[in-house]
Structure formats: C-alpha cells, structure tokens
Amino acid sequence: MLLAGGLGGQLQAQDTHVHGFTDVRFSTGARDSSGFKLGQLALFVTSELAPGFSFLAETVFEYQSDFVVDVERLSVSYQVAPWLRFTAGKHHNPIGYWNAAYHHGTLLQPTIDRPIMFLFEDEGGVLPIHSIGLMASGRDISPLHFGYDVLLSNGLGATPAGDNDANKALTVRVSTQATSALLVGTSGYVDRVSPGVVQPGGGTLGEAVQIGMWGGHAVYNGAHLEARVEGQVMTARSASAGTRRANLGYGYAGFRVGEFVPYARYDALAIDVGNPWLDVPSKHALLGGLRYDAAATVAVKGEYGFVRESGRTKNGLSLQVAVGF
C-alpha cells in the first residue's frame, strides 16, 4: 500500500502489488541446448492508481550473451465499464488465445515452452508478439459472455522509441465463453512492413510487404480434461514475390489426475517457399510430458519431444521447476 499526494494536498491510497516468476531447467539432446539453465526472472507489477485508472508492468531479466533487462509489458488503463476499457502502452498482442493468456511467467502455462508459433521475437518467433499502441477491450457482454479486443499499434519494425514509418498495424479479436469450461474465438491482424525491417530468420526486407492474418482458437478447461487448439493463416504479399501463405498452429491436451497432468502437444509451421516475410523453414514438432502442480506457486514439468526441420529430426528431454512468488 503506497500513499500518493492528490490535488490540493489530499492523500489517496494507491493499491500496488508486486509478484515474480522464474524457472530453472535441465535439457539434454539436440532439441534444445544441453545442460542446466536459468529461465527468465519476470517481475509483475499492478497498481490501482485512482477510480477507473490502473497500471501494469512486466519486466524480465534474462541471459542473452550477458544478463539484460527487457520491459515486456507496460500500460495504463481506464475502465469505463465492463464492456469498455482503454489501455495504452506495450501489450502482448491479442492474436489468438495463448499470447494474451500466458505471459512471461512459465509457472502459469501448461508446458515448459510456448508453442512454436508463439515463441517470443528474440527466441525465433514468427508473429508480432509484442506491440505498442492503444487497445479497446470489453468482457462479459450479454449472456453469452462475449469479449473483444481492438488494438491499433505501431507496426513491425517499430521500437519503444517510436514507429519506423507512418503505417499502423491493426489487431482484432472476438471470443465467447460459451460455457464455464469452453472458450472459442477468432482474431485477425493486418500491417504493411517497410523495406529495411529485419525479418524473422535474420534477413532484411528489400521491398514493402503487406501482411494479413486470421485464425481461430478453442480452449476447454474441464474438471479433468484441458485442451487448447489454435490456428492462424498468414499471407505475405510483395511486388516481386506475389502472395505467399503460411499455416501456423498447435494442439494441446492434458488430463488431470489429482496434482498430476500428463499432456501432449503438436506444433506445425507450414510456410510457402519464397515467402517474402517469413525467412524461416517449415517445421513440425511433437512432445509428451508430465506436470506436477505441487502448489499454486510451484510446478514441476518433464517433457520429451521431437522437432522436424529442413529434413532433420532433433529430439531431447527437458525438465523444469517453475515458481511464482
């Protein structure tokens, strides 16, 4: 609980909470780098600033040749009503379900790593995971519990200091909590990427590319069964390459028996040859694992999986202890 000076010298209560997440891992095999590893240390801060106004920040400490600090989310929100909330700042882009539901605390997600389609940008990801802009959102609209997010943001190639061109990206997501256990939704994204922007895969665009994406998701959380299925179709069009398509998706299923959840996940990235934006190969992956939810603040996960890419198959074992505090 913090005290802040209000107008006229009046003091107001400011309700601030700080939480943290981290994990420690061990991997062996070619699917991932071998040995003991430190995961991200994520500090998560929320604060009720004033009636209707709130603040959120997620800061990550991680190792990339040396320890670095990244501000992954930072936003100020104003709640007009349950059906209308404005949020300005850096967001996890509301593409599909996983990216908006699970952030940098691996304790909260059902598997050790994110699906391949939702890997972070600095981990080889192919989607715009983070975006800076203004979002309007609403929840629990009508008896069908409709929800929506509309994000107008800087486009691909932008930095926290500003956009790299005059183009803006638009993301729209609509969903319904059809039952207490079932959520279904759809989302879309459009952007025009300027020459000179670094592509997924490390290349540099030589000409403008028009990006379009649409997809759907379904999430089920029952007493025992948990499942997530998502797919996105991305089109990339340039003057020289024409239109190329990429189909991205994953399917996850787990079955809870007490504190234990055996699970499996399949990932697929099917990318047309000559794609003017995605300078990465197609890949498919399959993993099976076991999660032990020791407490709300501790999860132990073990996985064995395969990744097929560029005609080669890599397999390996990974173990993780994820905590929150």
Side-chain angles (χ1 to χ4, degrees), residues 88-110:
K90 185 176 183 180
H91 314 264
H92 270 194
N93 209 324
I95 297 172
Y97 172 77
W98 192 291
N99 198 49
Y102 305 117
H103 302 287
H104 292 262
T106 56
L107 168 72
L108 305 178
Q109 64 188 30

Side-chain angles (χ1 to χ4, degrees), residues 31 116 284-288 304-308 313-316:
R31 190 172 71 104
I116 294 174
H284 299 267
L286 177 66
L287 64 83
Y304 187 84
F306 304 83
V307 178
R308 180 73 175 174
T313 300
K314 298 180 286 186
N315 62 301

Side-chain angles (χ1 to χ4, degrees), residues 26-28 31-32 112 301-304 316-320:
F26 174 81
S27 298
T28 183
R31 190 172 71 104
D32 199 358
I112 291 178
K301 308 170 194 176
E303 295 177 356
Y304 187 84
L317 172 71
S318 295
L319 306 173
Q320 179 194 60

Side-chain angles (χ1 to χ4, degrees), residues 79-324:
Q79 181 88 39
V80 178
W83 48 267
L84 181 59
R85 180 187 186 97
F86 293 104
T87 306
K90 185 176 183 180
H91 314 264
H92 270 194
N93 209 324
I95 297 172
Y97 172 77
W98 192 291
N99 198 49
Y102 305 117
H103 302 287
H104 292 262
T106 56
L107 168 72
L108 305 178
Q109 64 188 30
T111 54
I112 291 178
D113 291 310
R114 295 163 69 90
I116 294 174
M117 67 180 289
F118 286 122
L119 289 176
F120 295 122
E121 297 95 334
D122 57 3
E123 296 175 349
V126 298
L127 296 182
I129 298 299
H130 301 87
S131 294
I132 298 176
L134 177 64
M135 181 161 65
S137 57
R139 297 291 183 270
D140 292 324
I141 302 170
S142 83
L144 293 178
H145 301 286
F146 281 105
Y148 71 90
D149 302 280
V150 179
L151 173 62
L152 181 67
S153 65
N154 294 338
L156 291 160
T159 71
D163 211 344
N164 62 313
D165 55 29
N167 304 316
K168 292 293 177 280
L170 178 66
T171 308
V172 177
R173 183 178 69 160
V174 179
S175 63
T176 175
Q177 188 75 49
T179 71
S180 60
L182 178 64
L183 172 76
V184 294
T186 185
S187 65
Y189 174 90
V190 292
D191 189 17
R192 187 178 188 275
V193 192
S194 295
V197 173
V198 177
Q199 306 164 248
T204 301
L205 278 185
E207 60 180 337
V209 174
Q210 185 71 39
I211 303 291
M213 186 163 52
W214 61 271
H217 57 275
V219 178
Y220 182 82
N221 289 310
H224 296 284
L225 178 65
E226 55 185 46
R228 290 104 173 86
V229 178
E230 297 196 57
Q232 294 285 334
V233 177
M234 177 189 287
T235 59
R237 178 171 55 84
S238 71
S240 63
T243 301
R244 296 289 189 273
R245 177 168 161 164
N247 297 314
L248 320 171
Y250 76 90
Y252 162 88
F255 191 84
R256 178 173 293 279
V257 182
E259 289 79 33
F260 293 90
V261 182
Y263 60 84
R265 195 183 77 208
Y266 175 72
D267 293 86
L269 271 65
I271 302 170
D272 284 351
V273 175
N275 191 297
W277 171 242
L278 295 180
D279 186 24
V280 295
S282 297
K283 63 180 68 177
H284 299 267
L286 177 66
L287 64 83
L290 178 66
R291 185 174 78 249
Y292 171 51
D293 293 325
T297 54
V298 181
V300 181
K301 308 170 194 176
E303 295 177 356
Y304 187 84
F306 304 83
V307 178
R308 180 73 175 174
E309 176 183 342
S310 301
R312 297 178 56 202
T313 300
K314 298 180 286 186
N315 62 301
L317 172 71
S318 295
L319 306 173
Q320 179 194 60
V321 178
V323 300

